[in-house]
Amino acid sequence: MKKFLLSSVAAIVLVGAGAASAADLPSRKGPVVAPVYAPIFTWTGFYVGANAGYGFGNVNAGTVFGGRTVSIGDLDGFVGGGQVGYNYQVGQIVLGAEADFQGADLSTGSNAFGDSVRTEYFGTVRARVGFAVDRFLPYITGGWAYGNVKTTIGGLGSTDKTHTGGYAVGGGLEYAFTNNWTAKVEYLYVDLGEKNVLNSGVKVGTDFSVVRAGLNYKF
C-alpha cells in the first residue's frame, strides 16, 4: 500500500512538471492580429484645386448710330484657373458650394468694321448637388457669374466693363482616386448678361460654354 501511494504521488508530480514545462514552451500560434477595416470614403470636407479647358460662345449686340448693325460673331479660346469649395455628404447625396476664378482668352477677333469683344477673366459662385456612387460623384451645379467684357466698336472707341449680373449652370463627374485627391470633368454654360457700351445704344451680351478638366485636393 505504501509503495502504491508513493508511486501515485510520483506520477502526479511528473505529470504536473510536464504540464508546467509545456506551458513554458513558446506557443506555435502566431500573435492575435486585430482585423483591419479599410476606412469608408466620404466626400465631406473642404477642397482646393485647379482647372483648364476651352470656352466657346456668342456675342449679342444691337445697332449703333447711323443705323449700322453690329454683328461681331462668336468668341472662343482657352480658360484656366482655380477653385475652392466644400462638400457635405448625407447618405449618397452630396451637397456643396464652390467658387472659382478663371483667366480667359476668349475673343471674337475683329470684323470688317473693327468691332470686337474679348473676355479676359470670369468667375462663378455655385451650389453643387451630387449622387455619390462610392468614389464616383456625378453632379449638377448652378449659381452666380461675373466677368469682364472688353468691347470695341469701330469708329466709336473701346470700353472695358465688369458684368456682375450673370449666371452659370452645368454639371460634371468627379472621381476620388485617393482619399485626398480627386479629378473631374465639367461643363458650364455662363451668361454674363448685357451692358450698354460707349453710350451708343448698343447693348453687348456675352454668353459661352466651358468644357474643362480639374484636379482637387480634399482636406
Side-chain angles (χ1 to χ4, degrees):
M1 185 67 178
K2 184 177 180 182
K3 289 182 179 181
F4 176 75
L5 290 173
L6 290 173
S7 298
S8 299
V9 170
I12 292 172
V13 171
L14 288 174
V15 171
S21 298
D24 292 335
L25 292 174
S27 172
R28 293 183 180 179
K29 295 182 179 179
V32 177
V33 179
V36 177
Y37 298 100
I40 299 174
F41 179 76
T42 177
W43 287 92
T44 296
F46 288 96
Y47 62 88
V48 295
N51 68 79
Y54 180 75
F56 54 96
N58 306 295
V59 174
N60 303 310
T63 302
V64 300
F65 298 121
R68 179 167 70 82
T69 299
V70 177
S71 178
I72 301 177
D74 300 334
L75 78 169
D76 63 350
F78 170 82
V79 299
Q83 65 271 351
V84 59
Y86 179 78
N87 289 319
Y88 183 73
Q89 184 169 350
V90 182
Q92 287 184 273
I93 303 300
V94 178
L95 306 174
E98 180 175 289
D100 70 290
F101 182 82
Q102 305 292 125
D105 185 22
L106 299 173
S107 176
T108 62
S110 297
N111 64 13
F113 297 99
D115 306 328
S116 66
V117 169
R118 184 181 185 88
T119 291
E120 295 180 337
Y121 70 83
F122 68 93
T124 70
V125 179
R126 294 169 285 106
R128 299 202 320 169
V129 179
F131 185 81
V133 184
D134 192 17
R135 292 177 177 268
F136 286 93
L137 180 66
Y139 63 88
I140 57 175
T141 183
W144 174 62
Y146 64 94
N148 83 313
V149 179
K150 289 187 173 182
T151 305
T152 299
I153 304 297
L156 291 178
S158 301
T159 184
D160 186 349
K161 292 195 173 184
T162 300
H163 293 212
T164 58
Y167 68 91
V169 293
L173 176 65
E174 193 165 359
Y175 175 70
F177 55 92
T178 73
N179 285 343
N180 297 105
W181 288 100
T182 72
K184 69 175 182 177
V185 290
E186 184 175 70
Y187 167 81
L188 282 183
Y189 172 77
V190 180
D191 190 332
L192 296 179
E194 294 183 340
K195 277 189 178 292
N196 191 306
V197 298
L198 298 170
N199 297 317
S200 63
V202 177
K203 285 189 175 181
V204 173
T206 303
D207 62 274
F208 49 88
S209 295
V210 174
V211 179
R212 62 189 181 183
L215 190 67
N216 288 326
Y217 181 81
K218 186 174 76 71
F219 296 95

